Amino acid sequence: MTTSTQISHIQLQYSHTIGRGEQFGPGFTYPIQMARGESDLMYVLCRSSEYRPEGTRIAVCTVNEEYVNVFARGVSQQGPHEYNFEDGSLVWPTCIAIDSQQNVYVSDEWLNRISIFNKDGEFLGKWDISEGDGDGEINRPSGIAFDKDDNLYLVDSLNHRIQKFTKDGRFLAKWGSQGSGDGELNMPWGIDIDRQGNVYIADWRNDRIQKFTADGEFLMKFGSSGSGEGELNRPTDVAVDKDGIIYVADWLNDRIQVFDTDGSFVTLRTGDATVSKWGKDKLDANPEMWGERDRAEGLEREKLLWAPSGIAVDDENNIFVCEGPRNRIQVYRKQSPTFAGPRL
Amino acid sequence: MADKEIALMAHLMRRAGFGATFEELEARAAKGYEATVDELLDPEGQPELERDLMMRYQPQWVSQAGLEGQQEEWTYRMINTKRPLEEKIALFWHQIFVTGHAKCEYPKQQQIEFDMFRRDGLGKFDNLLQGLAKDPAMVFYLDNCMSHKDAINENWGRELLELFSMGVGMDGQVNYTEEDVKECARAFTGWTVTNSIPRYPYGKYEAKFIYDSGDHDNEEKTFLGETGNWNGEDIINIVARQPGTARFISRHLYNFFVADEPQVPAWQNTPPGDPEAIKALEDEYFRSGYDIRSMLRVLFNSDAFKNARFAKVKSPTETVVGTMRLVGDFDLPKPGMNAMALNIRYMGQDLMNPPTVEGWHTGREWIDSGTLVERINFTADAVGNTSHPGIQSIIQRLASRGPTISPEQLVDGCLDMLGAYELTEVTRNELLAMSQGEGDIRTGTQEFESRVGQMLQSIVATTEYLFA
Amino acid sequence: MTSTKKDPVLVVLQLSGGNDGLNTIIPYTDPLYNDNRPSVRVPDDQVLQINDKIGFNPAMGPMKRLYDEGKLAIIQGVGYPSPSRSHFRSMDIWHTCEPDKVGDEGWLGRAIVELDPSKENVLTGVNFGRGLPRALVAPGVPVASVGNLESYGVLTGIEIEEQRAKALDVFSRVYSPMIGQGPVLDYFAHTGLDALKGADILSTAPESYSSTVEYGSDTVAQYMRNIAQVHLANLGTRIMYTTAPYNSFDTHAGELANHTKLWTETSNAVADFYDDLKEHNASDNVVLLVFTEFGRRVHDNGSGTDHGSGGVAFVVGDAVQGGLYGEYPSLEENKLLEGDLHFNNDFRSIYAALLDKWMGLDSKPIVNGSFEQMAFV
């Protein structure tokens, strides 16, 4: 008989932090969501605010924090100019998803629009969708995700439902209605799709995650209101990795949580941020701030997550947590505790 | 002429809140005046705003890092709150206990202060001052963190007495001496804030108040004739029981809620416009143990208040928020919030960023030719937009009076709907003449809608409408 | 109408956000410039040379032309003691001339009081933009703030012209001061009529204007055009003010591209404004001051520059003695102030020269003291 320590089969190891607050160029302005592109590219959707419309953009960088470019732009609502919702502009962008051709889709919950760009940021087209609650009509779209056949699943938040479109914008299916019962939704926000095509929804105002088949059949739910382990406070987003492990951005609890394939709680993280590469550049240009950091009270607060709104996972087991108010993304790696050798 | 009860309710809601639609006035009048006063004085009895919804659609309200964003957020709160006096009292204290963005540069820190005003602003005045003295935004704004036992900085010590409690004097006398200012400042040495985390690269973090006993002047002090080894708390306790404080706070309440008084620096030598009303408030201050809520209950139920309709010039904040509540716009987060909230700045009140520690000059000084144009155009644009639900509701109500209405019914009906406004004879005749010149007023037509819109625009452009 | 002597006019263009002086007038041969700007550097072969040490940013061709014509003065190393790196505070200091305490009166507001003490002209000072900059604030001084000159006025939201005329007619009558209505209402009535009058007069400016100069479509260019229109309409306006859009010069990131765009627009606007006045024989009585609240950090941050101190200002006009004023601040590390350029010209000495020598006013009470006056005007 041997004694053993029960260990979780999943551990998260903090990797690094990407970002700094910036309206242009390297840096983010309220990064609300992101999507991984090919090789090591990441597309970060910056929501910014209407008084800083130049900060509303898609920032492209690498997982190692090399700046690539930015595209799309916010809409100025000040000054003598009229509102301009021309092609490629964003007002209230909510989510970003990439199809198999590496084209970038962005949802905008004010314009009820999906804007489409190629991987280099060139504008390809848009769907201006009628506001309404009929088939194919939407009211404040939030999360979007592609399945392996390039169908787009869209969270239709104020209609409390999910809709499925072809990648050209043709309506295919819908499910869900307002409520708190199984399969019902209340102002849902984020979405992800696993390898089997199952759909996971951050059921925002119900403080839970729901899992559906590709056809919208209810499979399971987990989470309830609260701040204990496995409890959620307005979850904004969900991501599922290649092994079916589920990651949840637990917005008002300022943390992320990890759940097993069956929805049981595994672990949580409240943040481990360190100074990013871009952050170091910034501090080097303002050297007195290094000194201020030495004197500062409670510098450990810098680690903590604040209202994480987006979570993404890639095939290399990187987990990306978009932390809007801090203009950064904390990156974790999933580790398996299985002995990997070769040394003791 | 509006029902007297409606007119009084409109007055109460403009002063204790930011105005109300005619529907709300009717509902409140049915409940009764005193019941409404009680409800207003008990904000916690009403539901809170849906913060999660606000933050979902306006994420910059989470980080509270930008001045414009927080001006939007506060404006949104004032428009949509079910607890109007909670926001109104926060505005009241902000106009007295001034901190400014130009120096603090961290709106969240000021928001923390405003949350204290919301929470404690109707409570005991001494408790509020104790909180203020430990509020990091204030400690930094008035340099108390730069005051040391060997080198005092008098800024906070002075303003606590001059601007936040007693005022320089009353009835032609002074309330304290320069020596009292020094002793006061000495008592607050060691009241400081933590070293902050620099804003780069991830933004600021809230500061915390700390008491540094090693930097506190631990010697005897004589303050307002009382000698002891006073610390800051003792000073506030002494300040709170001064007649000068009762007078000063009473006059501020009167000036903000009842009728415009001269600007604050004149109070030492200019007696109150209504000494009896001030006396009643002073008495209640002491009777209730410095309780602001009790003072306001006395105030709102007094004849002095009830008879003071239109005795105050609306502030820019009251103008913009009141207009939005009336027309029913921005009752959900939507784009355009920033441009809308900026109108308050254009009219001369840059919320959270007052011109000096003395705050804003109020009353007639809100108005100059530039701010008047901003005020009239903003208000006229809003009430002239007949697609706004609040304006539609006004149109429907007027239309329900019959297939045609008289010019008098149009003018007086619009005045009622705006909150039982009253015009001078001259102005009313001008508006009547304008209306008469355009023939029969047939309700239920497209033209009727635009005629109501025009009438509302003309009314809000009058001098009478500058008042609340 | 012929006037023997035209009143001097002062125009101020505020570059909000803190213009990077180092990339505006560039010390292109100083090796320390290269060292400190690994990422945010203008290549030396692109600089528009002034001499073998410094030159204009390549986007500033039109202003370089004015410099070559002797119409543009460059004031180097501008600042004030104990510089603030806060936009608000630093701008306040520039506006109020109060570096040590919070002031509530603006230097131009005070100047307007001196120019028109009995308030004969409601348009002595005009601001272009929404909301009044503190520089123009003084008790009892009416200053029009014009968001859009083409549509400026009272009740402009009423689209149907006939209705608006009727509403304005009513407005003008209900704002007529009447006996016995008390000082507050009396004041409001006067204020309302002033506003109406100012708007009426201003509305004539675009109508009477024609020019071969084509300004850019950006905000600064359009406001500079508005300023030219008002000046050319001979409304007696003496002080005009406008601001680059909110914090646009705050180039924390992506500076090279942004700064090029900003200076292309600004430089064109400044030169177009000068040429426009010149075309109308109206450039001799106008001086333009271009300033910003602070310079930026000597060392870049990888993509832009952060708040610093020690900036550069420009003064433009026929009456201006073009050239270089002050010294270019040293980039040597031991001469920097907390990593920033050390100022050697107090901004109040620029104001003092403009007020005394150009506007003919006593500058001391306006700028709160005596300052050495440069000879650029």
Side-chain angles (χ1 to χ4, degrees):
Chain A
M1 189 71 198
T2 53
T3 56
S4 68
T5 305
Q6 187 74 33
I7 60 154
S8 158
H9 65 292
I10 293 156
Q11 295 183 338
L12 286 197
Q13 185 170 345
Y14 170 73
S15 171
H16 64 292
T17 298
I18 303 170
R20 75 185 195 202
E22 215 69 86
Q23 315 288 332
F24 308 91
F28 308 130
T29 314
Y30 209 99
I32 189 169
Q33 264 294 356
M34 63 159 277
R36 278 282 275 114
E38 60 189 354
S39 67
D40 60 350
L41 288 181
M42 45 196 274
Y43 293 77
V44 180
L45 179 61
C46 297
R47 171 98 165 199
S48 193
S49 59
E50 62 182 281
Y51 63 93
R52 275 299 175 86
E54 65 276 22
T56 305
R57 66 198 190 275
I58 293 152
V60 190
C61 65
T62 69
V63 173
N64 290 318
E65 209 176 358
E66 300 299 329
Y67 172 73
V68 178
N69 68 334
V70 297
F71 62 89
R73 64 193 165 277
V75 175
S76 173
Q77 283 147 50
Q78 282 183 27
H81 307 292
E82 290 295 306
Y83 287 56
N84 185 345
F85 300 141
E86 66 192 16
D87 291 351
S89 58
L90 307 170
V91 178
W92 277 4
T94 44
C95 194
I96 183 164
I98 295 177
D99 71 10
S100 61
Q101 267 75 60
Q102 294 299 311
N103 291 326
V104 178
Y105 287 62
V106 181
S107 53
D108 188 310
E109 63 185 329
W110 182 253
L111 297 177
N112 286 322
R113 176 187 286 179
I114 305 291
S115 295
I116 306 157
F117 306 85
N118 73 13
K119 66 181 167 47
D120 303 316
E122 207 177 303
F123 179 77
L124 295 180
K126 62 176 194 282
W127 314 344
D128 271 326
I129 307 175
S130 314
E131 181 176 319
D133 57 8
D135 289 354
E137 296 178 333
I138 57 175
N139 193 356
R140 295 203 176 180
S142 47
I144 51 174
F146 282 103
D147 68 11
K148 62 180 188 329
D149 303 320
D150 273 352
N151 296 308
L152 185 79
Y153 287 72
L154 179 151
V155 177
D156 185 6
S157 70
L158 288 189
N159 286 326
H160 315 281
R161 65 182 182 182
I162 312 303
Q163 295 201 64
K164 182 178 174 183
F165 295 88
T166 65
K167 67 183 292 187
D168 305 316
R170 191 163 51 80
F171 170 79
L172 291 174
K174 62 169 183 187
W175 76 83
S177 59
Q178 185 168 21
S180 56
D182 290 353
E184 294 178 332
L185 299 160
N186 193 352
M187 298 188 71
W189 187 328
I191 185 171
D192 202 11
I193 297 173
D194 70 13
R195 298 266 163 137
Q196 288 71 46
N198 299 310
V199 180
Y200 299 72
I201 303 295
D203 189 3
W204 187 66
R205 265 214 166 151
N206 282 328
D207 292 327
R208 64 182 183 182
I209 305 298
Q210 293 199 67
K211 180 180 177 184
F212 300 90
T213 66
D215 301 323
E217 195 183 316
F218 173 80
L219 290 174
M220 71 162 180
K221 63 181 178 192
F222 57 89
S224 59
S225 301
S227 58
E229 289 183 350
E231 294 177 335
L232 300 167
N233 192 350
R234 301 293 183 266
T236 45
D237 197 21
V238 55
V240 191
D241 73 13
K242 58 183 196 277
D243 304 318
I245 303 302
I246 305 159
Y247 305 86
V248 177
D250 190 4
W251 195 47
L252 293 185
N253 281 328
D254 299 316
R255 64 186 185 182
I256 57 166
Q257 296 199 62
V258 184
F259 296 87
D260 214 332
T261 50
D262 62 356
S264 57
F265 170 80
V266 176
T267 186
L268 61 80
R269 286 288 181 282
T270 56
D272 296 272
T274 47
V275 174
S276 66
K277 227 185 258 184
W278 295 338
K280 185 176 175 303
D281 289 345
K282 192 86 172 176
L283 288 166
D284 287 343
N286 298 274
E288 82 284 357
M289 289 192 184
W290 285 114
E292 287 175 36
R293 290 170 64 85
D294 289 342
R295 288 195 303 274
E297 180 274 341
L299 188 61
E300 65 279 2
R301 287 180 288 173
E302 193 173 77
K303 292 176 182 296
L304 299 178
L305 284 165
W306 189 9
S309 57
I311 192 160
V313 55
D314 67 13
D315 290 345
E316 288 99 64
N317 286 325
N318 292 309
I319 296 113
F320 302 87
V321 186
C322 298
E323 201 187 344
R326 290 276 170 231
N327 298 309
R328 66 189 180 191
I329 292 170
Q330 297 197 32
V331 186
Y332 286 88
R333 289 185 62 78
K334 184 177 77 169
Q335 305 283 356
S336 165
T338 308
F339 183 69
R343 282 176 280 274
L344 182 59
Chain B
M1 170 75 195
D3 183 297
K4 262 171 96 174
E5 284 173 29
I6 295 277
L8 188 59
M9 190 57 70
H11 171 60
L12 175 66
M13 294 311 295
R14 274 193 295 270
R15 301 302 181 78
F18 300 91
T21 60
F22 201 78
E23 288 74 21
E24 184 180 340
L25 296 177
E26 284 184 321
R28 288 189 181 276
K31 276 192 220 164
Y33 184 87
E34 282 190 31
T36 300
V37 168
D38 289 342
E39 188 191 302
L40 289 166
L41 286 169
D42 176 30
E44 278 94 31
Q46 302 304 315
E48 279 185 277
L49 284 169
E50 295 176 276
R51 297 281 295 158
D52 60 344
L53 206 66
M54 292 163 62
M55 287 158 63
R56 175 165 181 170
Y57 294 117
Q58 301 281 14
Q60 73 275 19
W61 296 353
V62 179
S63 60
Q64 308 182 359
L67 175 65
E68 291 82 354
Q70 284 321 103
Q71 290 177 330
E72 286 171 22
E73 197 253 11
W74 200 4
T75 308
Y76 180 88
R77 280 183 190 240
M78 291 188 277
I79 294 169
N80 292 293
T81 181
K82 302 270 193 300
R83 305 166 164 187
L85 188 54
E86 182 178 77
E87 296 304 330
K88 200 74 187 263
I89 202 75
L91 182 63
F92 170 75
W93 291 120
H94 174 52
Q95 291 186 192
I96 300 171
F97 298 159
V98 164
T99 54
H101 178 77
K103 182 158 174 177
C104 295
E105 292 196 293
Y106 188 29
K108 186 178 185 192
Q109 202 72 61
Q110 285 181 280
Q111 278 298 332
I112 291 169
E113 181 187 76
F114 300 158
D115 283 340
M116 175 178 72
F117 295 161
R118 292 181 181 108
R119 189 183 62 238
D120 299 335
L122 289 169
K124 307 278 189 191
F125 180 65
D126 53 339
N127 177 57
L128 184 61
L129 273 189
Q130 300 284 11
L132 189 69
K134 298 184 176 95
D135 168 51
M138 182 57 82
V139 172
F140 176 75
Y141 184 70
L142 287 184
D143 304 320
N144 209 59
C145 45
M146 307 301 283
S147 188
H148 306 289
K149 69 175 176 188
D150 303 323
I152 55 168
N153 181 311
E154 293 176 5
N155 204 2
W156 157 257
R158 178 180 303 281
E159 304 307 6
L160 170 65
L161 307 184
E162 180 182 331
L163 299 175
F164 302 163
S165 62
M166 294 191 283
V168 282
M170 61 176 179
D171 304 331
Q173 308 290 312
V174 297
N175 281 336
Y176 55 87
T177 66
E178 281 299 304
E179 202 51 37
D180 290 319
V181 170
K182 280 204 190 75
E183 299 290 275
C184 175
R186 283 179 61 209
F188 280 100
T189 49
W191 291 47
T192 187
V193 289
T194 52
N195 285 310
S196 52
I197 299 171
R199 61 182 289 204
Y200 298 145
Y202 301 135
K204 293 195 170 189
Y205 290 78
E206 33 192 287
K208 292 195 182 73
F209 171 82
I210 44 171
Y211 174 64
D212 178 0
S213 58
D215 198 22
H216 176 69
D217 181 340
N218 221 1
E219 304 291 318
E220 199 162 81
K221 302 149 195 103
T222 299
F223 177 67
L224 297 177
E226 301 188 40
T227 303
N229 179 10
W230 305 132
N231 209 320
E233 286 94 349
D234 307 310
I235 295 291
I236 287 172
N237 290 335
I238 295 171
V239 160
R241 55 179 184 256
Q242 301 301 313
T245 299
R247 170 72 61 87
F248 194 74
I249 297 308
S250 298
R251 284 191 84 165
H252 264 302
L253 289 172
Y254 184 91
N255 181 49
F256 186 84
F257 288 103
V258 184
D260 285 327
E261 286 268 277
Q263 303 302 324
V264 180
W267 289 1
Q268 180 183 1
N269 295 312
T270 315
D274 184 345
E276 271 178 49
I278 297 298
K279 178 73 171 49
L281 291 173
E282 289 173 21
D283 290 348
E284 185 62 17
Y285 175 80
F286 287 114
R287 194 205 62 79
S288 66
Y290 323 140
D291 188 45
I292 302 297
R293 191 185 321 264
S294 301
M295 293 172 80
L296 282 176
R297 197 182 311 274
V298 167
L299 183 147
F300 291 137
N301 287 315
S302 71
D303 288 341
F305 174 76
K306 292 176 184 172
N307 294 331
R309 293 173 64 216
F310 311 117
K312 261 185 66 64
V313 178
K314 277 183 274 204
S315 68
T317 305
E318 290 169 318
T319 302
V320 170
V321 173
T323 302
M324 289 297 119
R325 284 180 84 105
L326 177 84
V327 305
D329 201 7
F330 289 101
D331 47 0
L332 271 177
K334 67 172 183 177
M337 189 73 210
N338 185 247
M340 187 272 288
L342 276 175
N343 284 288
I344 299 177
R345 176 187 297 182
Y346 299 149
M347 291 179 204
Q349 190 174 26
D350 200 11
L351 278 179
M352 307 178 68
N353 197 31
T356 70
V357 66
E358 290 181 30
W360 293 274
H361 282 195
T362 57
R364 63 177 270 182
E365 293 197 32
W366 287 123
I367 305 294
D368 63 37
S369 54
T371 58
L372 182 69
V373 173
E374 294 287 353
R375 183 181 285 230
I376 288 175
N377 286 352
F378 168 81
T379 319
D381 286 356
V383 299
N385 183 343
T386 53
S387 67
H388 282 317
I391 302 303
Q392 268 303 317
S393 151
I394 290 174
I395 291 164
Q396 299 315 321
R397 277 180 165 270
L398 293 175
S400 71
R401 293 179 181 181
T404 61
I405 61 172
S406 67
E408 285 81 1
Q409 282 177 306
L410 177 63
V411 173
D412 295 340
C414 284
L415 287 169
D416 284 353
M417 296 297 144
L418 289 171
Y421 265 85
E422 286 171 14
L423 300 178
T424 60
E425 201 57 31
V426 178
T427 306
R428 184 165 174 277
N429 286 340
E430 288 290 346
L431 297 182
L432 272 177
M434 179 178 92
S435 187
Q436 275 154 350
E438 292 176 351
D440 279 358
I441 308 169
R442 279 201 303 280
T443 62
T445 61
Q446 197 61 43
E447 196 211 343
F448 180 67
E449 299 205 352
S450 65
R451 288 188 69 172
V452 172
Q454 284 167 51
M455 183 54 64
L456 293 171
Q457 287 181 312
S458 290
I459 293 172
V460 301
T462 61
T463 50
E464 288 87 331
Y465 197 75
L466 300 174
F467 293 86
Chain C
M1 192 178 87
T2 53
S3 66
T4 46
K5 184 176 180 303
K6 294 192 262 183
D7 286 330
V9 171
L10 177 61
V11 177
V12 178
L13 168 59
Q14 166 182 313
L15 306 180
S16 305
N19 172 49
D20 183 11
L22 211 48
N23 271 5
T24 303
I25 299 298
I26 302 166
Y28 65 102
T29 52
D30 187 340
L32 289 170
Y33 171 68
N34 282 341
D35 294 351
N36 277 294
R37 293 294 174 93
S39 309
V40 186
R41 178 180 64 235
V42 177
D44 53 5
D45 57 349
Q46 291 179 20
V47 168
L48 309 177
Q49 295 179 14
I50 293 170
N51 55 34
D52 59 4
K53 292 196 171 65
I54 59 172
F56 282 92
N57 182 296
M60 298 174 73
M63 282 173 72
K64 169 74 160 52
R65 190 202 88 211
L66 293 174
Y67 178 84
D68 292 339
E69 290 171 11
K71 308 292 186 197
L72 183 143
I74 300 169
I75 324 288
Q76 312 177 88
V78 184
Y80 52 87
S82 308
S84 167
R85 293 192 197 93
S86 151
H87 293 295
F88 282 93
R89 182 66 196 127
S90 194
M91 197 57 97
D92 258 11
I93 291 169
W94 276 83
H95 283 195
T96 61
C97 301
E98 296 274 17
D100 303 319
K101 65 177 177 102
V102 178
D104 55 357
E105 282 184 23
W107 70 289
L108 293 171
R110 289 175 178 162
I112 293 167
V113 174
E114 297 303 319
L115 291 168
D116 184 13
S118 52
K119 297 180 206 164
E120 283 169 22
N121 188 345
V122 292
L123 298 174
T124 300
V126 179
N127 174 56
F128 293 85
R130 296 283 298 278
L132 200 57
R134 196 164 293 176
L136 291 159
V137 172
V141 174
V143 176
S145 256
V146 181
N148 183 341
L149 185 61
E150 275 72 28
S151 65
Y152 179 70
V154 179
L155 292 172
T156 47
I158 304 180
E159 281 167 11
I160 299 168
E161 204 43 53
E162 187 195 344
Q163 283 174 13
R164 178 161 179 252
K166 209 181 290 177
L168 284 178
D169 185 47
V170 172
F171 180 89
S172 68
R173 271 177 284 133
V174 304
Y175 274 77
S176 292
M178 284 161 299
I179 299 157
Q181 62 180 5
V184 176
L185 279 175
D186 212 42
Y187 166 72
F188 288 164
H190 278 294
T191 306
L193 292 183
D194 274 359
L196 208 54
K197 193 164 124 197
D200 275 354
I201 301 170
L202 278 174
S203 70
T204 64
E207 292 161 15
S208 59
Y209 169 85
S210 76
S211 175
T212 64
V213 174
E214 284 184 32
Y215 289 82
S217 59
D218 55 284
T219 309
V220 169
Q222 286 302 306
Y223 281 144
M224 290 309 293
R225 179 168 173 267
N226 288 162
I227 290 173
Q229 289 172 322
V230 170
H231 178 65
L232 294 172
N234 289 315
L235 307 178
T237 300
R238 305 287 303 281
I239 289 180
M240 285 182 271
Y241 200 99
T242 194
T243 345
Y246 176 75
N247 266 3
S248 49
F249 278 83
D250 198 16
T251 50
H252 288 287
E255 175 169 323
L256 285 176
N258 274 316
H259 207 235
T260 298
K261 176 172 178 288
L262 288 163
W263 272 113
T264 302
E265 291 175 353
T266 306
S267 188
N268 276 318
V270 166
D272 286 345
F273 174 70
Y274 177 80
D275 293 345
D276 195 6
L277 298 187
K278 192 90 186 162
E279 172 180 321
H280 293 86
N281 287 321
S283 58
D284 55 334
N285 68 326
V286 177
V287 164
L288 166 69
L289 166 68
V290 183
F291 83 98
T292 188
E293 70 266 39
F294 48 59
R296 305 190 77 83
R297 282 276 144 108
V298 173
H299 204 283
D300 73 47
N301 68 24
S303 145
T305 50
D306 299 315
H307 302 178
S309 68
V312 57
F314 301 96
V315 185
V316 184
D318 278 343
V320 172
Q321 291 289 325
L324 289 166
Y325 293 84
E327 278 174 46
Y328 205 96
S330 169
L331 273 69
E332 282 172 42
E333 199 161 349
N334 59 359
K335 303 225 170 105
L336 298 179
L337 185 68
E338 291 183 334
D340 291 338
L341 295 179
H342 210 309
F343 85 104
N344 56 62
N345 270 313
D346 194 297
F347 72 95
R348 288 164 291 188
S349 63
I350 306 176
Y351 290 0
L354 290 169
L355 293 166
D356 277 290
K357 295 183 179 164
W358 178 240
M359 298 302 283
L361 299 172
D362 177 9
S363 67
K364 284 189 207 76
I366 296 178
V367 305
N368 298 323
S370 291
F371 294 88
E372 194 188 335
Q373 296 182 12
M374 279 171 275
F376 57 75
V377 63

